[in-house]
mmCIF file of all heavy atoms in Angstrom:
data_model
loop_
_atom_site.group_PDB
_atom_site.id
_atom_site.type_symbol
_atom_site.label_atom_id
_atom_site.label_comp_id
_atom_site.label_asym_id
_atom_site.label_seq_id
_atom_site.Cartn_x
_atom_site.Cartn_y
_atom_site.Cartn_z
ATOM 1 N N VAL A 1206 7.086 18.598 12.043
ATOM 2 C CA VAL A 1206 6.023 18.652 13.049
ATOM 3 C C VAL A 1206 6.693 18.911 14.407
ATOM 4 O O VAL A 1206 7.814 18.475 14.627
ATOM 5 C CB VAL A 1206 5.210 17.339 13.101
ATOM 6 C CG1 VAL A 1206 4.367 17.177 11.858
ATOM 7 C CG2 VAL A 1206 6.104 16.127 13.289
ATOM 8 N N PRO A 1207 5.975 19.627 15.302
ATOM 9 C CA PRO A 1207 6.632 20.005 16.563
ATOM 10 C C PRO A 1207 6.615 18.920 17.646
ATOM 11 O O PRO A 1207 7.224 19.105 18.689
ATOM 12 C CB PRO A 1207 5.820 21.220 17.027
ATOM 13 C CG PRO A 1207 4.502 21.090 16.376
ATOM 14 C CD PRO A 1207 4.691 20.309 15.113
ATOM 15 N N HIS A 1208 5.950 17.813 17.417
ATOM 16 C CA HIS A 1208 5.817 16.847 18.524
ATOM 17 C C HIS A 1208 6.809 15.686 18.445
ATOM 18 O O HIS A 1208 6.829 14.841 19.320
ATOM 19 C CB HIS A 1208 4.389 16.317 18.621
ATOM 20 C CG HIS A 1208 3.975 15.473 17.467
ATOM 21 N ND1 HIS A 1208 3.806 15.990 16.199
ATOM 22 C CD2 HIS A 1208 3.726 14.151 17.372
ATOM 23 C CE1 HIS A 1208 3.458 15.009 15.399
ATOM 24 N NE2 HIS A 1208 3.400 13.877 16.066
ATOM 25 N N ILE A 1209 7.638 15.645 17.381
ATOM 26 C CA ILE A 1209 8.617 14.558 17.267
ATOM 27 C C ILE A 1209 10.023 15.159 17.276
ATOM 28 O O ILE A 1209 10.318 16.064 16.500
ATOM 29 C CB ILE A 1209 8.395 13.730 15.986
ATOM 30 C CG1 ILE A 1209 7.023 13.053 16.019
ATOM 31 C CG2 ILE A 1209 9.513 12.689 15.798
ATOM 32 C CD1 ILE A 1209 6.670 12.254 14.772
ATOM 33 N N LEU A 1210 10.855 14.652 18.161
ATOM 34 C CA LEU A 1210 12.231 15.144 18.285
ATOM 35 C C LEU A 1210 13.160 13.948 18.330
ATOM 36 O O LEU A 1210 12.949 13.029 19.122
ATOM 37 C CB LEU A 1210 12.391 15.885 19.608
ATOM 38 C CG LEU A 1210 12.396 17.406 19.635
ATOM 39 C CD1 LEU A 1210 12.614 17.862 21.070
ATOM 40 C CD2 LEU A 1210 13.432 18.016 18.711
ATOM 41 N N ASN A 1211 14.208 13.973 17.515
ATOM 42 C CA ASN A 1211 15.170 12.884 17.529
ATOM 43 C C ASN A 1211 16.519 13.467 17.932
ATOM 44 O O ASN A 1211 17.029 14.383 17.292
ATOM 45 C CB ASN A 1211 15.237 12.266 16.121
ATOM 46 C CG ASN A 1211 15.760 10.855 16.156
ATOM 47 O OD1 ASN A 1211 16.871 10.626 16.632
ATOM 48 N ND2 ASN A 1211 14.976 9.920 15.680
ATOM 49 N N LEU A 1212 17.071 12.962 19.029
ATOM 50 C CA LEU A 1212 18.270 13.570 19.594
ATOM 51 C C LEU A 1212 19.415 12.579 19.676
ATOM 52 O O LEU A 1212 19.205 11.408 20.001
ATOM 53 C CB LEU A 1212 17.973 14.075 21.008
ATOM 54 C CG LEU A 1212 16.855 15.109 21.148
ATOM 55 C CD1 LEU A 1212 16.544 15.344 22.625
ATOM 56 C CD2 LEU A 1212 17.237 16.424 20.478
ATOM 57 N N CYS A 1213 20.617 13.075 19.377
ATOM 58 C CA CYS A 1213 21.825 12.273 19.503
ATOM 59 C C CYS A 1213 22.632 12.835 20.675
ATOM 60 O O CYS A 1213 22.763 14.049 20.804
ATOM 61 C CB CYS A 1213 22.599 12.397 18.196
ATOM 62 S SG CYS A 1213 24.257 11.756 18.329
ATOM 63 N N PHE A 1214 23.143 11.940 21.536
ATOM 64 C CA PHE A 1214 23.879 12.395 22.726
ATOM 65 C C PHE A 1214 25.355 12.010 22.669
ATOM 66 O O PHE A 1214 25.713 10.962 22.139
ATOM 67 C CB PHE A 1214 23.230 11.809 23.988
ATOM 68 C CG PHE A 1214 21.861 12.378 24.235
ATOM 69 C CD1 PHE A 1214 20.726 11.722 23.778
ATOM 70 C CD2 PHE A 1214 21.716 13.588 24.897
ATOM 71 C CE1 PHE A 1214 19.468 12.256 23.983
ATOM 72 C CE2 PHE A 1214 20.464 14.132 25.108
ATOM 73 C CZ PHE A 1214 19.338 13.473 24.650
ATOM 74 N N HIS A 1215 26.186 12.856 23.244
ATOM 75 C CA HIS A 1215 27.644 12.642 23.285
ATOM 76 C C HIS A 1215 28.226 13.618 24.294
ATOM 77 O O HIS A 1215 27.573 14.606 24.663
ATOM 78 C CB HIS A 1215 28.251 12.886 21.904
ATOM 79 C CG HIS A 1215 27.869 14.224 21.356
ATOM 80 N ND1 HIS A 1215 28.390 15.417 21.815
ATOM 81 C CD2 HIS A 1215 26.956 14.573 20.420
ATOM 82 C CE1 HIS A 1215 27.835 16.428 21.173
ATOM 83 N NE2 HIS A 1215 26.947 15.943 20.320
ATOM 84 N N SER A 1216 29.461 13.358 24.720
ATOM 85 C CA SER A 1216 30.112 14.326 25.608
ATOM 86 C C SER A 1216 30.571 15.511 24.765
ATOM 87 O O SER A 1216 30.677 15.385 23.538
ATOM 88 C CB SER A 1216 31.310 13.672 26.297
ATOM 89 O OG SER A 1216 32.353 13.535 25.354
ATOM 90 N N PRO A 1217 30.852 16.662 25.400
ATOM 91 C CA PRO A 1217 31.345 17.802 24.614
ATOM 92 C C PRO A 1217 32.610 17.455 23.830
ATOM 93 O O PRO A 1217 32.879 18.057 22.799
ATOM 94 C CB PRO A 1217 31.621 18.870 25.673
ATOM 95 C CG PRO A 1217 30.721 18.513 26.817
ATOM 96 C CD PRO A 1217 30.652 17.009 26.815
ATOM 97 N N GLU A 1218 33.352 16.439 24.298
ATOM 98 C CA GLU A 1218 34.576 16.032 23.592
ATOM 99 C C GLU A 1218 34.278 15.049 22.465
ATOM 100 O O GLU A 1218 35.181 14.631 21.739
ATOM 101 C CB GLU A 1218 35.579 15.369 24.550
ATOM 102 C CG GLU A 1218 36.108 16.276 25.650
ATOM 103 C CD GLU A 1218 35.096 16.499 26.782
ATOM 104 O OE1 GLU A 1218 34.381 15.528 27.136
ATOM 105 O OE2 GLU A 1218 34.992 17.625 27.284
ATOM 106 N N GLY A 1219 33.031 14.622 22.344
ATOM 107 C CA GLY A 1219 32.659 13.752 21.233
ATOM 108 C C GLY A 1219 32.520 12.283 21.585
ATOM 109 O O GLY A 1219 32.273 11.453 20.708
ATOM 110 N N LYS A 1220 32.662 11.930 22.881
ATOM 111 C CA LYS A 1220 32.476 10.533 23.280
ATOM 112 C C LYS A 1220 30.976 10.186 23.195
ATOM 113 O O LYS A 1220 30.132 10.902 23.737
ATOM 114 C CB LYS A 1220 32.980 10.386 24.730
ATOM 115 C CG LYS A 1220 32.880 8.980 25.282
ATOM 116 C CD LYS A 1220 33.433 8.952 26.715
ATOM 117 C CE LYS A 1220 32.827 7.800 27.508
ATOM 118 N NZ LYS A 1220 33.023 7.947 28.949
ATOM 119 N N THR A 1221 30.648 9.102 22.504
ATOM 120 C CA THR A 1221 29.231 8.776 22.316
ATOM 121 C C THR A 1221 28.748 7.840 23.424
ATOM 122 O O THR A 1221 29.527 7.315 24.200
ATOM 123 C CB THR A 1221 29.007 8.084 20.960
ATOM 124 O OG1 THR A 1221 29.866 6.962 20.864
ATOM 125 C CG2 THR A 1221 29.264 9.036 19.809
ATOM 126 N N LEU A 1222 27.439 7.668 23.505
ATOM 127 C CA LEU A 1222 26.895 6.707 24.468
ATOM 128 C C LEU A 1222 25.973 5.745 23.737
ATOM 129 O O LEU A 1222 25.634 5.939 22.578
ATOM 130 C CB LEU A 1222 26.196 7.412 25.637
ATOM 131 C CG LEU A 1222 25.129 8.470 25.390
ATOM 132 C CD1 LEU A 1222 23.901 7.898 24.732
ATOM 133 C CD2 LEU A 1222 24.729 9.110 26.718
ATOM 134 N N ASP A 1223 25.564 4.678 24.451
ATOM 135 C CA ASP A 1223 24.702 3.670 23.877
ATOM 136 C C ASP A 1223 23.235 4.092 24.070
ATOM 137 O O ASP A 1223 22.743 4.148 25.198
ATOM 138 C CB ASP A 1223 25.009 2.337 24.594
ATOM 139 C CG ASP A 1223 24.152 1.188 24.094
ATOM 140 O OD1 ASP A 1223 23.237 1.434 23.279
ATOM 141 O OD2 ASP A 1223 24.400 0.052 24.513
ATOM 142 N N GLY A 1224 22.572 4.402 22.970
ATOM 143 C CA GLY A 1224 21.198 4.892 23.024
ATOM 144 C C GLY A 1224 20.237 3.920 23.683
ATOM 145 O O GLY A 1224 19.295 4.325 24.371
ATOM 146 N N GLU A 1225 20.495 2.629 23.486
ATOM 147 C CA GLU A 1225 19.653 1.600 24.083
ATOM 148 C C GLU A 1225 19.791 1.625 25.615
ATOM 149 O O GLU A 1225 18.810 1.548 26.347
ATOM 150 C CB GLU A 1225 20.072 0.224 23.526
ATOM 151 C CG GLU A 1225 19.301 -0.962 24.062
ATOM 152 C CD GLU A 1225 17.867 -1.047 23.547
ATOM 153 O OE1 GLU A 1225 17.482 -0.229 22.682
ATOM 154 O OE2 GLU A 1225 17.141 -1.919 24.032
ATOM 155 N N MET A 1226 21.043 1.793 26.091
ATOM 156 C CA MET A 1226 21.284 1.894 27.543
ATOM 157 C C MET A 1226 20.633 3.157 28.091
ATOM 158 O O MET A 1226 20.065 3.155 29.180
ATOM 159 C CB MET A 1226 22.793 1.922 27.839
ATOM 160 C CG MET A 1226 23.470 0.572 27.885
ATOM 161 S SD MET A 1226 22.658 -0.561 29.017
ATOM 162 C CE MET A 1226 23.073 0.213 30.575
ATOM 163 N N LEU A 1227 20.717 4.230 27.316
ATOM 164 C CA LEU A 1227 20.098 5.493 27.738
ATOM 165 C C LEU A 1227 18.594 5.296 27.908
ATOM 166 O O LEU A 1227 18.009 5.691 28.921
ATOM 167 C CB LEU A 1227 20.389 6.587 26.704
ATOM 168 C CG LEU A 1227 19.686 7.939 26.909
ATOM 169 C CD1 LEU A 1227 19.999 8.523 28.282
ATOM 170 C CD2 LEU A 1227 20.096 8.932 25.823
ATOM 171 N N LEU A 1228 17.992 4.633 26.919
ATOM 172 C CA LEU A 1228 16.552 4.378 26.985
ATOM 173 C C LEU A 1228 16.199 3.573 28.238
ATOM 174 O O LEU A 1228 15.245 3.901 28.956
ATOM 175 C CB LEU A 1228 16.144 3.615 25.713
ATOM 176 C CG LEU A 1228 14.672 3.362 25.440
ATOM 177 C CD1 LEU A 1228 14.444 3.265 23.937
ATOM 178 C CD2 LEU A 1228 14.174 2.105 26.111
ATOM 179 N N LEU A 1229 16.986 2.539 28.534
ATOM 180 C CA LEU A 1229 16.702 1.694 29.697
ATOM 181 C C LEU A 1229 16.923 2.460 31.000
ATOM 182 O O LEU A 1229 16.138 2.343 31.934
ATOM 183 C CB LEU A 1229 17.563 0.420 29.653
ATOM 184 C CG LEU A 1229 17.296 -0.499 28.452
ATOM 185 C CD1 LEU A 1229 18.279 -1.661 28.422
ATOM 186 C CD2 LEU A 1229 15.853 -1.010 28.447
ATOM 187 N N ASN A 1230 17.974 3.291 31.045
ATOM 188 C CA ASN A 1230 18.215 4.100 32.235
ATOM 189 C C ASN A 1230 17.105 5.125 32.445
ATOM 190 O O ASN A 1230 16.704 5.399 33.573
ATOM 191 C CB ASN A 1230 19.572 4.815 32.132
ATOM 192 C CG ASN A 1230 20.732 3.862 32.409
ATOM 193 O OD1 ASN A 1230 20.601 2.934 33.205
ATOM 194 N ND2 ASN A 1230 21.850 4.084 31.747
ATOM 195 N N LEU A 1231 16.606 5.701 31.355
ATOM 196 C CA LEU A 1231 15.497 6.661 31.468
ATOM 197 C C LEU A 1231 14.234 5.962 31.937
ATOM 198 O O LEU A 1231 13.442 6.522 32.695
ATOM 199 C CB LEU A 1231 15.257 7.365 30.128
ATOM 200 C CG LEU A 1231 16.333 8.354 29.701
ATOM 201 C CD1 LEU A 1231 16.063 8.879 28.298
ATOM 202 C CD2 LEU A 1231 16.415 9.511 30.698
ATOM 203 N N ASP A 1232 14.060 4.742 31.495
ATOM 204 C CA ASP A 1232 12.886 3.959 31.904
ATOM 205 C C ASP A 1232 12.889 3.774 33.423
ATOM 206 O O ASP A 1232 11.861 3.914 34.080
ATOM 207 C CB ASP A 1232 12.895 2.614 31.172
ATOM 208 C CG ASP A 1232 11.629 1.816 31.418
ATOM 209 O OD1 ASP A 1232 10.552 2.440 31.537
ATOM 210 O OD2 ASP A 1232 11.716 0.584 31.506
ATOM 211 N N ILE A 1233 14.076 3.495 33.987
ATOM 212 C CA ILE A 1233 14.202 3.342 35.443
ATOM 213 C C ILE A 1233 13.803 4.648 36.144
ATOM 214 O O ILE A 1233 13.205 4.641 37.209
ATOM 215 C CB ILE A 1233 15.656 2.928 35.813
ATOM 216 C CG1 ILE A 1233 15.940 1.527 35.258
ATOM 217 C CG2 ILE A 1233 15.878 2.979 37.326
ATOM 218 C CD1 ILE A 1233 17.408 1.139 35.299
ATOM 219 N N GLU A 1234 14.103 5.776 35.477
ATOM 220 C CA GLU A 1234 13.748 7.099 36.042
ATOM 221 C C GLU A 1234 12.344 7.527 35.628
ATOM 222 O O GLU A 1234 11.991 8.702 35.732
ATOM 223 C CB GLU A 1234 14.756 8.155 35.559
ATOM 224 C CG GLU A 1234 16.211 7.822 35.769
ATOM 225 C CD GLU A 1234 16.679 8.066 37.201
ATOM 226 O OE1 GLU A 1234 15.997 8.806 37.934
ATOM 227 O OE2 GLU A 1234 17.725 7.501 37.578
ATOM 228 N N ASN A 1235 11.547 6.605 35.094
ATOM 229 C CA ASN A 1235 10.154 6.878 34.709
ATOM 230 C C ASN A 1235 9.983 7.860 33.557
ATOM 231 O O ASN A 1235 9.017 8.625 33.517
ATOM 232 C CB ASN A 1235 9.337 7.371 35.917
ATOM 233 C CG ASN A 1235 9.021 6.230 36.858
ATOM 234 O OD1 ASN A 1235 8.738 5.116 36.415
ATOM 235 N ND2 ASN A 1235 9.060 6.503 38.142
ATOM 236 N N VAL A 1236 10.923 7.853 32.629
ATOM 237 C CA VAL A 1236 10.761 8.653 31.414
ATOM 238 C C VAL A 1236 10.770 7.677 30.238
ATOM 239 O O VAL A 1236 11.765 6.984 30.012
ATOM 240 C CB VAL A 1236 11.878 9.710 31.256
ATOM 241 C CG1 VAL A 1236 11.759 10.428 29.924
ATOM 242 C CG2 VAL A 1236 11.824 10.715 32.405
ATOM 243 N N CYS A 1237 9.643 7.584 29.532
ATOM 244 C CA CYS A 1237 9.483 6.572 28.478
ATOM 245 C C CYS A 1237 9.682 7.188 27.104
ATOM 246 O O CYS A 1237 8.867 7.992 26.650
ATOM 247 C CB CYS A 1237 8.105 5.931 28.551
ATOM 248 S SG CYS A 1237 7.784 5.178 30.151
ATOM 249 N N VAL A 1238 10.778 6.817 26.456
ATOM 250 C CA VAL A 1238 11.083 7.304 25.115
ATOM 251 C C VAL A 1238 11.348 6.101 24.213
ATOM 252 O O VAL A 1238 11.199 4.953 24.636
ATOM 253 C CB VAL A 1238 12.305 8.257 25.119
ATOM 254 C CG1 VAL A 1238 12.048 9.461 25.999
ATOM 255 C CG2 VAL A 1238 13.567 7.526 25.567
ATOM 256 N N SER A 1239 11.754 6.367 22.985
ATOM 257 C CA SER A 1239 11.968 5.283 22.031
ATOM 258 C C SER A 1239 13.335 5.445 21.374
ATOM 259 O O SER A 1239 13.898 6.544 21.378
ATOM 260 C CB SER A 1239 10.858 5.341 20.989
ATOM 261 O OG SER A 1239 11.265 4.788 19.772
ATOM 262 N N ASN A 1240 13.840 4.366 20.805
ATOM 263 C CA ASN A 1240 15.057 4.534 20.011
ATOM 264 C C ASN A 1240 14.793 4.303 18.529
ATOM 265 O O ASN A 1240 15.687 4.333 17.720
ATOM 266 C CB ASN A 1240 16.201 3.644 20.506
ATOM 267 C CG ASN A 1240 15.829 2.188 20.512
ATOM 268 O OD1 ASN A 1240 14.726 1.840 20.082
ATOM 269 N ND2 ASN A 1240 16.707 1.345 20.992
ATOM 270 N N GLY A 1241 13.520 4.069 18.204
ATOM 271 C CA GLY A 1241 13.121 3.958 16.804
ATOM 272 C C GLY A 1241 13.803 2.830 16.057
ATOM 273 O O GLY A 1241 13.641 2.692 14.852
ATOM 274 N N SER A 1242 14.570 2.019 16.769
ATOM 275 C CA SER A 1242 15.274 0.955 16.075
ATOM 276 C C SER A 1242 14.602 -0.387 16.332
ATOM 277 O O SER A 1242 13.904 -0.560 17.316
ATOM 278 C CB SER A 1242 16.724 0.909 16.518
ATOM 279 O OG SER A 1242 16.793 0.539 17.867
ATOM 280 N N ALA A 1243 14.858 -1.312 15.453
ATOM 281 C CA ALA A 1243 14.236 -2.614 15.570
ATOM 282 C C ALA A 1243 15.126 -3.528 16.397
ATOM 283 O O ALA A 1243 16.314 -3.682 16.113
ATOM 284 C CB ALA A 1243 14.018 -3.202 14.187
ATOM 285 N N CYS A 1244 14.566 -4.113 17.437
ATOM 286 C CA CYS A 1244 15.336 -5.016 18.269
ATOM 287 C C CYS A 1244 14.949 -6.440 17.887
ATOM 288 O O CYS A 1244 13.900 -6.922 18.257
ATOM 289 C CB CYS A 1244 15.023 -4.759 19.733
ATOM 290 S SG CYS A 1244 15.927 -5.808 20.856
#
Side-chain angles (χ1 to χ4, degrees):
V1206 290
H1208 67 292
I1209 297 177
L1210 258 182
N1211 203 302
L1212 301 171
C1213 168
F1214 292 94
H1215 53 74
S1216 74
E1218 297 76 38
K1220 181 179 155 196
T1221 55
L1222 52 66
D1223 179 354
E1225 179 72 5
M1226 277 307 291
L1227 173 57
L1228 187 152
L1229 297 175
N1230 283 327
L1231 289 174
D1232 187 35
I1233 294 168
E1234 308 281 342
N1235 286 322
V1236 175
C1237 302
V1238 300
S1239 154
N1240 57 4
S1242 66
C1244 181

